[in-house]
Amino acid sequence: MSTMGMSRNGLWEVSSRVIVYAAIGAALYAISAQFSMLIPGTASVSVRPGFAFVTFFGFAFGPVAGLFTGLVGNALADQISGWGLLTSWNWSVAAGVVGLLAGLTPSFLKSWMGTPSRMLAAAAVGPAVAVIVGYLIVISDIVLGTAENLNVVFADNYGPVVVSNVITVVILTPILVAAWQPIKEQLGR
Amino acid sequence: MNVAPRYLGRGSWLARRDPRVLILAIALFVFAVVQVWDGRLMVVLAVVAFLYYRTAGIPFRAVRYQWAYVLIFVGFIVTTNTIITGGELRGIDPRSVHTYFYLPLFGTPVSAESTSYAITQLLRFLSMAALGFPIAFAIGPSDIGPAFARLHVPDRFAYAIDLTFRFIPSLAGEMQTTIDAQRIRGYDYERVGRGPLGRIRRTVPVLVPVTINAIVGAEDTIDAMDLRCFGTGRRTWLRELVMDRTDRALLVGFALLFLLVTVLAFNGASNLWVFPFLIPG
């Protein structure tokens, strides 16, 4: 039951398939979040390839799977690293919203995604927009005291994360979608 | 790669508590602590947090890397907040600050006020981390699902959380196996050069097979769940969770702490308090 061929009515269904895929997505994100790399020339901007799991699971299996992958995966990644499950809960919510928005992309672009190349383009653009919009939630850092003002939020939190995650999802989400598409047809999903 | 949940606090006082208490305790504590900028109250909250942490009986040796990560990350947040805000602090008149010196290049004033702010923020994050550690290390991995279900998280989501914890060790093992297999074929993830884009591309030979294998392998789990009529009725859990008197007392204690801090925050505890010993002269 992939969203890439799902009607809007079936988007919010929480079937056993969605539950298992969401759990796999969250586990993969939590594991792979341990591998990050600093972008040379910056103080804090690191690229996390694992973030592509959030947008891929949303794009391929629907907004519920995307939301769960981002929300629970991010919280678990923080927990594994020692930062704590709820210490930065608003960042987990932001990652969840990114997954949810990425999951809505195929439904909204369904009529446009007629060819494989267009579908891959949608798999790059939709998640990129989802990252830009979803991470606006981290502005709540000002209320929570992690950032003193908007300058800090945009210079230190939102800006670097959005740049690195957009780069990641634009490269990796279409690759994962392209790899999944033939398997999906083979499995008859 | 060992990212499997470790039950390091097994048998400790906190591990014997109902796991719901640990989850609710951190939620109440986090929402209490984010209201506080008064350093005196933050010291009290930090003491509470570390006493609570001590009852989890987590050996420091086993979590020293996690604590190192927390210290580095918190240090980074505090430093960047100080530098980027240029010494401007909420509720503090810039003309009344007690400046020690200005940071070279940035020109940011380092003052008694900004130092108090940094100390308070440091204590805040360390306290939150101290309450977070027991969730990772003092709850039996098999209790996570029932705990969320009994906290009225919808059954399917609670089960998904339970499944996530079950998948982590096997998928981590699979990822390590894939990395090893690709290394035999000449793959080197840690090779330097070609910038961040090249490094992202270098993750493809690992991420794609791991993801596709995991999804294909999940078909068995999905079939097993469907064959057992998963989701057709209300789910029951084999593990029964019952709160005893100590659990209730601990929970009431954290609820009272949250209420007390909220009241104090409305009466000035949400304003920055400058440690007197930091004021020169």
Side-chain angles (χ1 to χ4, degrees):
Chain A
M1 183 179 303
S2 122
T3 6
M4 295 190 283
M6 189 190 271
S7 69
R8 283 193 197 181
N9 293 338
L11 272 180
W12 306 103
E13 190 190 346
V14 189
S15 63
S16 52
R17 190 169 304 282
V18 170
I19 289 171
V20 173
Y21 288 150
I24 287 176
L28 283 173
Y29 178 42
I31 295 162
S32 60
Q34 310 311 309
F35 306 103
S36 61
M37 56 195 102
L38 204 68
I39 295 177
T42 66
S44 64
V45 186
S46 62
V47 175
R48 291 179 300 155
F51 192 79
F53 287 125
V54 176
T55 50
F56 167 68
F57 277 84
F59 192 87
F61 306 115
V64 176
L67 172 72
F68 188 90
T69 301
L71 182 71
V72 176
N74 198 76
L76 277 182
D78 282 352
Q79 185 67 52
I80 290 169
S81 65
W83 186 237
L85 196 75
L86 295 177
T87 308
S88 294
W89 59 270
N90 56 328
W91 285 76
S92 299
V93 172
V97 171
V98 171
L100 184 135
L101 295 175
L104 293 174
T105 310
S107 151
F108 283 106
L109 297 179
K110 195 175 176 183
S111 55
W112 185 79
M113 297 194 311
T115 62
S117 56
R118 280 188 172 188
M119 190 175 69
L120 295 183
V125 175
V129 173
V131 169
I132 292 164
V133 176
Y135 268 104
L136 284 172
I137 288 174
V138 303
I139 291 174
S140 57
D141 270 352
I142 297 172
V143 181
L144 299 174
T146 317
E148 182 58 22
N149 55 34
L150 270 179
N151 286 342
V152 177
V153 170
F154 283 105
D156 189 35
N157 298 355
Y158 178 81
V161 164
V162 164
V163 169
S164 64
N165 283 345
V166 163
I167 292 170
T168 302
V169 302
V170 163
I171 294 174
L172 292 180
T173 311
I175 291 174
L176 288 168
V177 169
W180 163 236
Q181 193 62 20
I183 307 286
K184 187 185 94 175
E185 281 159 18
Q186 202 177 331
L187 290 171
R189 301 298 174 198
Chain B
M1 185 194 303
N2 184 11
V3 292
R6 290 175 295 164
Y7 195 13
L8 299 171
R10 185 193 298 270
S12 66
W13 183 82
L14 205 54
R16 292 198 304 275
R17 304 278 64 81
D18 187 311
R20 288 173 291 178
V21 175
L22 276 71
I23 296 167
L24 291 173
I26 189 175
L28 288 165
F29 189 83
V30 165
F31 285 107
V33 89
V34 295
Q35 303 178 69
V36 177
W37 280 110
D38 188 317
R40 294 166 294 186
L41 184 55
M42 190 57 77
V43 169
V44 174
L45 290 171
V47 170
V48 170
F50 280 94
L51 286 175
Y52 177 88
Y53 174 77
R54 288 276 296 167
T55 62
I58 302 167
F60 178 72
R61 199 178 164 73
V63 292
R64 62 184 192 275
Y65 292 116
Q66 279 88 350
W67 272 114
Y69 170 84
V70 169
L71 281 170
I72 291 167
F73 199 59
V74 171
F76 176 78
I77 289 176
V78 171
T79 310
T80 51
N81 263 296
T82 307
I83 292 171
I84 295 173
T85 55
E88 290 173 25
L89 298 164
R90 270 180 279 187
I92 300 283
D93 183 354
R95 289 165 300 181
S96 66
V97 295
H98 304 82
T99 305
Y100 300 140
F101 61 91
Y102 291 86
L103 285 176
L105 299 173
F106 298 101
T108 303
V110 173
S111 61
E113 287 74 15
S114 63
T115 309
S116 295
Y117 171 84
I119 292 171
T120 310
Q121 200 172 43
L122 188 74
L123 287 173
R124 168 189 285 201
F125 282 117
L126 291 181
S127 307
M128 288 196 279
L131 256 86
F133 271 74
I135 291 187
F137 303 116
I139 296 182
S142 59
D143 287 352
I144 294 285
F148 279 101
R150 293 296 304 275
L151 285 170
H152 300 291
V153 170
D155 268 348
R156 293 172 191 222
F157 285 93
Y159 186 71
I161 294 169
D162 196 49
L163 261 187
T164 306
F165 274 87
R166 287 166 195 253
F167 279 138
I168 284 177
S170 57
L171 290 178
E174 208 167 294
M175 192 173 276
Q176 189 58 58
T177 306
T178 308
I179 290 171
D180 293 342
Q182 297 290 34
R183 275 193 180 138
I184 290 169
R185 298 182 179 98
Y187 168 80
D188 185 6
Y189 171 72
E190 279 146 10
R191 193 161 48 115
V192 290
R194 292 202 296 176
L197 295 181
R199 296 199 76 168
I200 289 174
R201 284 215 311 272
R202 274 205 296 277
T203 61
V204 172
V206 172
L207 295 190
V208 171
V210 169
T211 309
I212 301 302
N213 275 340
I215 293 171
V216 172
E219 291 298 316
D220 289 342
T221 311
I222 294 163
D223 289 343
M225 286 165 68
D226 287 342
L227 284 169
R228 288 166 177 78
C229 303
F230 179 86
T232 53
R234 195 173 178 279
R235 184 181 168 76
T236 55
W237 299 80
L238 185 63
R239 175 88 161 89
E240 279 290 325
L241 297 176
V242 182
M243 279 201 200
D244 62 18
R245 194 176 292 177
T246 314
D247 294 329
R248 287 197 201 95
L250 190 60
L251 202 52
V252 168
F254 272 99
L256 288 175
L257 186 73
F258 169 73
L259 287 174
L260 180 69
V261 168
T262 306
V263 171
L264 289 173
F266 277 109
N267 289 286
S270 57
N271 297 328
L272 182 69
W273 181 77
V274 183
F275 292 92
F277 65 87
L278 292 173
I279 298 172

